[in-house]
Every structure is written in C-alpha cells, then in structure tokens.
Amino acid sequence: MATTAPPAAPTTTSWSKEDAKAARKANRKRHRNENAWAAAFMAAPVIGWVAFLLFPMGFSIYASMTNWNGLGNMTFVGFDNYVRLVQDPYFWKALWNTVFYMIGIPIGLAISLALALALSRKIRGRTFFRTVYYIPVISSLAAVAILWQWAYNGDFGLVNQALALVGIEGPNWLMDPTWSKPALIIMAVWKGLGYSTLLYLAAVQAVPRSLYEAAALDGASGWKRFTKITWPMVQPVTFFLVVTNIIGGSMIFTEINIMTPTGGPSWSTASLVWYVWNQAFRNLQMGYATAMALVLGILVLIVTIIQFRINRANDFSID
Amino acid sequence: MRRMKTAAFAATVVGALTLAACSSGGSSDNASEEPDTSGGTAANELTFMFRGGDYDKLAYETAIEAFEAETGAKVKMIITDADQYATKLQAAIAGNKVPDVFYIEPGKMMGYVYAGVLADLTDYVDQATIDNIWDFGTDAYRFNTETGARGQDGDPLYGLPKDVGPFGFGYNTVLFEKLGLEAPPADEPLTFDEFVDLAKQLTVDMDGDGELDHWGTGLNVTWNSQAFIWGAGADWISEDQKTVTVDTPEFADALQWFADLGLVEGVTPSAEQAQTLDTYQRWMAGEIGFFPVAPWDIATYNEKAASDPENFGYDVIPYPVANEGDDWSTWLGSLGIAVSENSANKELAAQLATYLSTDLEAQKILAENKVQIPNLIDYATGEWIETDAPAAGWPANTKIFLEIAEEKGRPLPGIWTYTPEWYDNFWIGIENVVDNGSQTAADFLAAKQPEMQMLLDQSWVSADQAKAQG
C-alpha cells in the first residue's frame, strides 16, 4: 500500500513547532487513508447486517403491529395481532403440533449415535452403509415427502405391508389424527439420520484411544466406557445437533404441505410455519402472520439461550 | 481524496458482491433464473406472467404472435411453476414489479382490487366480446368496491377468463356394460335413491373370493361433496355472502347421506382404501362406477381408455339430486387474466388480455389438447361441439360441460368472499362424520356454524379495512 513518506525524524534540539505540525498532518493523512480502507472492508458485513438482519427485523416488528394484507398499505394496530394470537385456538394447536414434532430430536440423536458407534467399528460394508444412510440427506425433501406419502397409504402402503409381515395391522397413518404426527416424525428422523450420524461418527473417531485403554486397564465395562468417555466426549456435537434440530424442527413446513395439504385430519399435522404461510398468502393476513412468526422466533431464541446455559454448566475439559 | 474514492468504490463492489451472493443463495446460476417481472416501459412493450403446461404456452405463443403482428407490440412471457405462482406474484407486487398482464385467482381478487393492483377493464373490452364469453367467465371477475358484491352483471370488470373449468361427474361405461346395467341418462339427473341403488349394483365381488372388486363410487368429501349438498337445496353461505348456512336440516341430511354412502350403504371403498390417490387409481383401474370427470382429466382418461379398453371407458352425466325435479349443479372454477393498474401501456395490456382470453386459434389449441373447454360461446356451441370436440376425442356427452359453463356451474364457496378461511374451516374434523362416523352430520354442523360465522365476519371486517387502507 503506497503512503506518503513521513518527514525525517527530527532531533530533540531541531524539533520546531512547524516540524511537529507537519508530522501531525502527515500522520493524520496516513491514518485517514488507513481508516478509509478499514471502513471500506468493514462496510461489506455491516451493509449485509443492516440489509439482511436489522432492516428486516425492524420491518417485521413494525409489520406485526399492523393490519396489512401484504398488498396494500399498512395500518398500525399496536398489539392487536398479539392479543388475537393469544385468543386463537389454531395458533395454540399449531404450536403444540410443532412442539410435538420435537420428540423426533432425541429419538433421531439416539439412533444416530448408535449407528455412528456401529459404523466406527471395522465391519464389512462400512462404506456402503455410510453412503446408504446419507442418501436421504441429499434427496429432495419434496420428492421424499411424496414417496413417504405413498409408503404411508393405509391400504397398499409399504409401511403397512412391512408391518403385516410381522402380523401387525398398521394404522391409516396420514388419515388418523393419532398417527399422523408420529408418521411425520418417523419420516423426519429417517431424513436427518445420515447428517447426525456423520457428525457423531467424526466425534466418536476423535476420542483419544488412550482414554479407552486407560479405562480398560481400570476394568471399566463397555457401558461405563460409553457413559464416562464416549458420551461426554461427543457432547459438543450433541449440543450442536440439538440446537440446530430445534431451530430446523420449528420451521417444519414442506413435508406437511405436501403430505397433508389441509393440515391433516382434525388439523393434527398443521405446524406453526404452515399456519403462518396460510395466513400470509391464502388469507391475506400478513400482519398477523408476521406476529406469529416473531413469537415463534422469540420462543426458539429462548430455548436456544436455555440450551447454551445448560451446556455451559455441563462444560468440561480434559487436563 | 482519490484513495478515499478508491476505498469507497472497493467497499461498494465488495458490498454489492456480498448482497448479490446472499440474494442468490451463493449460486451464480440462480441469479439469472429470476426474471424481471416489471411491466414494459417503452410504448409498445408488455410483460405477461402466467403459469401452466406446455399446451398453455403453445396456445399463448400463437395468440401473442398474432397480437404482436396486429399491434406491433413486444410481449415478454414469464412462465412460472404452478405452485410458486401466487407467492411470486405477491412478491412482484410488494417489490413494485407488477407485470402488465398476469393470471389472477378470482378468490383473491378483492384484496388486489382494494390495493389498487388491478385495472378496471370495463371500458377496454367491448360488449360484443363479453357477450360471447360464458357469463361465469366474466362475472367471476366483476366486483363492486362500494358494496363488496361479487359476480353481479354490470359491475366493474377486473379480469377476463383464462378458462372456465366445469367439475363434471361421470361413470365407467365399460363397468356398466360388464354388469349389464343401463347407462345413466345424460339429460336428467339421477335422484339420490336411484344413485344409491345403482351404486349398490356396482359394488360386487366378481370372482367370489370374499373381497369386493368394484365399488359404486369413491368420492373425496373436500372436492366432491359440493354438488350433492347443492343438489339437496343446501348451501354453505347465504346469497349476500354474510351468513354461514350450514346448520340447516337440508344441509345436515345431505352431508349425512354423503357420509352414509360409505358408512351405511357400503358402496365406497373403506376409509383405509379411500384415500384420494387410491380412489383415483381405483377409478382408473376400472374398479369404481361413478367418479368426477373434468376437462383437465380428459387427456389422461382417454389414454387409459385406449390402453385398457376391457376395464376403462367413461362418459359425463349430470350430478344426482335429492328428489326428482330438483335442479342439479356443480362447481365451476376459473383462472383470470388481469391487467396492472400501474401499467405504462394499460390499453395495450387490456387488448392483450382480451386476445389471450378470446383468440380463436388459441382457444382451438387449448380445446384440441383437452386443456379446457373454449371460452367463446359461438365457437363452443357451434363448430366445436359439432365437429372439433368429437374429432379431438372429447367424450360423447361433452355438451354437459357446456351446460355447466352456461347455467349449472357455481363458484366454490369462499370464492366470493375476501378470504376463504371460513370455508376452509369447514373441513377441519370432517373425517369424524365421513370416515369414522364418530359424529353425526347434524352435531358436526351445529358446532361448526358459529366458528365459521366468526371467521366469515372477520373476513368482512378485513375486507372493510383493506378498502379503507387502499
């Protein structure tokens, strides 16, 4: 970077006021140039932050306090949308359904960890299994949802045919309010299994072998080694997966919209984001939909903060 | 100072690149996939945004070619996926990039008119053109902003029909022949009793293995019950669109009768077998006697009839009614072509909308390829029904589609109101009446009416607010 050369360093004796002034001026000029460059490089993320976070957030908060159909002008209505939301039974129903879907998170993590432990061993076809478990992750969610819709068909669906082989008469999955949510959970677990397994596999393989060797010398059983070494060592991955799965799970929409486009029997599958989308684009209630979306965002934020707190309390290091 | 400028320029470039990367999801490919939907700015430029299949595109290319030759206009066509169209249009409106001409759903029209998005076409379309389009095709786009009334002749016109879609009823001709049954009449509707009687005769175990091989019918309550409810003299909403009327005895009787087709009479596949996809597949496999038939099904049904003539053949009939002499009806859908109020070339855009809706060559392409029945009354009731339709393979009783378009068709409930939320609410919990019978129709409707009425009232309040806000 070319800068103006500073004046020759003055000696104590020859330092005059003019020299000092000239030096300060040169410094200011040099710093001005540097500051300009610094500002230029900082501008990109700041512009991005303002354009994609601050402005949309501020706009959303304002929109949530308006009566707005997404087409015309907005009318400020204060907290009316939030009052309506509290009194709206379908909001609570959709919120409950969304929370219910979270049951799939611990189930998925448990299966993923078990698979990761199995795949970390030297078994035949290990690479094949790793690939097979990962295929659903890279498959289109829309395509997968359609396939599962067929698989869940009460009459000729693959799921019930498989259950029939072991003498179980399967339910009419997507048409039965009792089974529609579990059906979607099973699909979501299946879809996300490969990703979680991959992360767990990396974490399991990163556990120092010396810890297992020391535990073996002390006579620790396999279960003890899992609970005292493996589980704590993969905790950061568990934490990461729980946080991202809760955020992702709270936004569940596509599979519901495809598999149960009217919200399922007795509205048993309608998630909050599905309800938000319907209110915004079908019922032209953009202001109300924004209020619901903000409440969902705040709930997810609170849950995430709690998770961070819990994680910090359980944090440990190997010294 | 020069360095300051350089730095500012660098910042702008970096910022712009960052924004571009973010907006396109980091993919340079995607950035070029989003067309500019803005209306044309030059005197003869127009943008037309629509959704549809290959035949729609072919038909409109033909119409637009003729339009360009006649007017010297240049039309940019933007076609989107059907499931993304509504969201993209709303985004285009919010972003002030409204195309000059675009598709509009009649159910969403009120919000668009109040927001000043749609141009009033009344003065741009001559009466002779309007008179030659099915009444419903224009009434669906009439709206009185003062009274909130829809579908009234003489009110301002905010769109022209891309199509009118009669949701007809049909039967499997091959199955009727196989069982030695007389074909149902094409001129008179069956009564409910006659329909059940025939359906029972169609529900048989052909090979004696103890399992039913054919059923009388298999109807999805959400899409197929309207004609039966109307056929019993009941309706979801009052004529002034202000009162939910589902709590009447005739409505309860009709819904219970519909539910009992499966629960009591046993003439439909069981609840497990009757999932929509499954019922449709059974109809296509020749296992169902009566099933809906609409113009957009014709091409598929014809293919099936040609490939499997031993099991599948079909024709159209009127929907059954409760009692002899009752009037039958069914729902009639439509998609509209509207013009942007802020188009720089409003008159030319209105001319294009008229062309797309009524150009004879385009109508011929769409009808020949079984996408829709023609919009033009003189063509549909003349040359088309006499020669073109039979030649193209439309079913023998195609005239019933025209009858629906002319007088028997009604809009789906919810289309005439500001939002359809009140009507959507009706279907929540309907499986308790129709599939498992855990609730009687009367109990279900008594509980539903207040909830639907509240949502309808709310819809009117929203309409008033949208009107006030503009």
Side-chain angles (χ1 to χ4, degrees), chain B residues 146-387:
Chain B
E146 290 306 311
T147 62
R150 295 285 309 275
Q152 306 288 324
D153 195 22
D155 280 344
L157 181 71
Y158 290 96
L160 289 165
K162 176 262 170 193
D163 66 359
V164 293
F167 196 73
F169 199 49
Y171 70 103
N172 185 332
T173 52
V174 175
L175 187 56
F176 266 72
E177 279 170 30
K178 210 185 278 184
L179 295 173
L181 298 172
E182 196 179 327
D187 301 328
E188 288 294 324
L190 295 168
T191 63
F192 283 180
D193 288 342
E194 289 168 343
F195 176 74
V196 170
D197 186 45
L198 271 173
K200 281 180 178 170
Q201 294 179 64
L202 287 158
T203 306
V204 286
D205 170 14
M206 297 288 276
D207 51 18
D209 65 353
E211 297 282 333
L212 291 172
D213 301 300
H214 298 122
W215 291 264
T217 189
L219 303 169
N220 176 299
V221 66
T222 313
W223 296 106
N224 305 153
S225 60
Q226 292 84 355
F228 295 96
I229 303 287
W230 289 331
D235 203 346
W236 276 258
I237 192 166
S238 61
E239 212 167 309
D240 65 0
Q241 307 292 309
K242 297 277 174 79
T243 311
V244 175
T245 55
V246 299
D247 54 348
T248 60
E250 56 266 33
F251 199 114
D253 289 347
L255 183 61
Q256 193 62 60
W257 174 86
F258 188 90
D260 288 348
L261 287 174
L263 297 172
V264 177
E265 309 292 354
V267 296
T268 69
S270 66
E272 284 76 15
Q273 297 159 336
Q275 289 175 30
T276 313
L277 182 71
D278 183 29
T279 314
Y280 177 78
Q281 285 189 339
R282 285 177 189 278
W283 158 254
M284 294 291 279
E287 296 175 4
I288 301 276
F290 292 103
F291 203 73
V293 179
W296 50 87
D297 295 317
I298 301 297
T300 311
Y301 289 179
N302 282 0
E303 266 177 46
K304 183 64 186 172
S307 65
D308 189 14
E310 287 178 8
N311 291 306
F312 189 78
Y314 72 99
D315 209 343
V316 191
I317 52 169
Y319 269 96
V321 292
N323 302 299
E324 198 173 341
D326 286 350
D327 204 14
W328 72 277
S329 60
T330 181
W331 60 267
L332 182 60
S334 180
L335 189 61
I337 303 172
V339 169
S340 166
E341 171 68 6
N342 297 317
S343 170
N345 304 304
K346 210 189 288 182
E347 191 171 352
L348 192 64
Q351 216 176 327
L352 174 62
T354 311
Y355 239 89
L356 295 170
S357 179
T358 59
D359 177 61
L360 181 60
E361 288 311 309
Q363 292 295 303
K364 282 185 175 180
I365 291 172
L366 291 169
E368 187 185 341
N369 291 293
K370 294 115 188 160
V371 176
Q372 64 179 68
I373 61 168
N375 289 339
L376 302 169
I377 296 175
D378 60 356
Y379 171 59
T381 54
E383 184 186 348
W384 186 69
I385 198 70
E386 299 294 334
T387 54

Side-chain angles (χ1 to χ4, degrees), chain A residues 71, chain B residues 37-39 46-51 76 78 85-86 88-90 92-93 97-105 108-109 112-113 116-119 121 141 158-162 335-343 349-350 352-353 356:
Chain A
L71 299 165
Chain B
T37 56
S38 309
L46 293 172
T47 305
F48 170 44
M49 183 168 155
F50 69 112
R51 60 180 166 87
K76 185 169 92 173
I78 298 173
Y85 179 82
K88 284 193 174 179
L89 178 63
Q90 201 156 334
I93 291 165
K97 290 187 169 183
V98 189
D100 294 296
V101 182
F102 51 94
Y103 278 1
I104 179 89
E105 292 174 29
K108 288 188 172 171
M109 223 187 70
Y112 284 83
V113 172
V117 176
L118 304 187
L121 303 179
Y141 305 99
Y158 290 96
L160 289 165
K162 176 262 170 193
L335 189 61
I337 303 172
V339 169
S340 166
E341 171 68 6
N342 297 317
S343 170
L352 174 62
L356 295 170

Side-chain angles (χ1 to χ4, degrees), chain B residues 134 327-329 332 401-410:
Chain B
W134 304 109
D327 204 14
W328 72 277
S329 60
L332 182 60
F401 286 144
L402 302 188
E403 211 178 323
I404 296 169
E406 191 177 4
E407 59 165 329
K408 303 294 186 188
R410 303 163 68 159

Side-chain angles (χ1 to χ4, degrees), chain B residues 134-143 150-154 157 416:
Chain B
W134 304 109
D135 280 350
F136 181 83
T138 48
D139 288 350
Y141 305 99
R142 291 191 187 278
F143 175 39
R150 295 285 309 275
Q152 306 288 324
D153 195 22
L157 181 71
W416 278 175

